[in-house]
Amino acid sequence: MRNKENIAMLGAGSWGTALAIVLADNGHEVCLWTKNESRVEEINEKHTNLQYLPEIQLPETIRASSSIETALRGTDIVVLAVPTKAIREVLQLIKSVRKEPFTAVHVSKGIEPDTLMRISEMIREELPEELCKDIVVLSGPSHAEEVSLRHPTTVTVSSDNIDAAEKVQDIFMNQHFRVYTNPDVIGVEIGGALKNIIALGAGISDGLGYGDNAKAALITRGLAEIARLGTKMGADPLTFSGLTGIGDLIVTCTSVHSRNWRAGNMLGKGQKLQDVLDNMGMVVEGVRTTRAARQLSLKYGVEMPLTEALYQVLFEGKDPKTAVDELMARMKTNEMESLVDIIDRNQEN
């Protein structure tokens, strides 16, 4: 028997709603917060969220509120399911109304440009330690559309406090939603964020009609880039062979559910970036993360040719086909050089 928890889910998009379903299935009391009054009414009266999860009937135990004070009342667990660009605004709202300590669980995947902070670092900067007891990251290969249908899904939770990670593991885990723990917070966050960049590239490749060979190359070389940067930042290289590395890359780079793949696909077919973003209706985290990842590559002196090519396509107007052709024409190198560098650095440490 699991303990029944009162949980605030901040963000009623597809992912926040899907995770609310998981928690409700597990017998927890979930309040889904959104500023959108009409969505609150729809969730409470019709038990649907048609904009984000059409044809999904929500458990009637899920309640929604546009008042963050109401959503937070009586909770020990607060789940942040808003886009990276909205994280600080929501944290400031929490700080303005919440006085009792709680555990923050963030389920978003991104890096803040300019500050180059991971989301857990943003939380720690905005919330005093006496208010936010622990920070737990939940990440992994998980489309909201499939989670809401209760299809088998595996994810990872990570925290500096293993007890907090295991508590969140227990809260979310059920027969459809398997949760592992991983102590490598940096690796879990970097893998989850940077895979969106590679998914944009995979979508562009498919939009150009380049097929499976090119996409396989993008995924594997993209993983090498992520591991190079993540390890330089202090991550465990083994993390990138797991769910938040290769697992997340596979699902995000190959599925039509992936908004980053879809955005890249439209770019590859010749659409302009702003038109793509206007038509998506949901945040495409990979665009913002590409800017941040390029800044990180320069800061740490890590070569990231795929990220650089995506940056030039997104922000400097480079033709996608030209960018791909230039990547293929790069100076020859040894495929294992990156792996050897990572192993050497770990041995030195």
Side-chain angles (χ1 to χ4, degrees), residues 14 17 34 92 119 125 139 152 171 181 212 226 240 272 284 338:
S14 56
T17 305
T34 172
Q92 288 163 10
I119 295 174
E125 182 175 75
S139 189
I171 287 169
T181 60
D212 293 338
I226 294 170
F240 303 112
K272 299 299 182 184
V284 182
S338 299

Side-chain angles (χ1 to χ4, degrees), residues 1-7 26-30 76 171:
M1 294 292 291
R2 72 176 84 225
N3 292 328
K4 181 178 178 181
E5 300 278 351
N6 292 323
I7 300 170
N26 289 349
H28 303 299
E29 294 287 337
V30 185
D76 288 324
I171 287 169

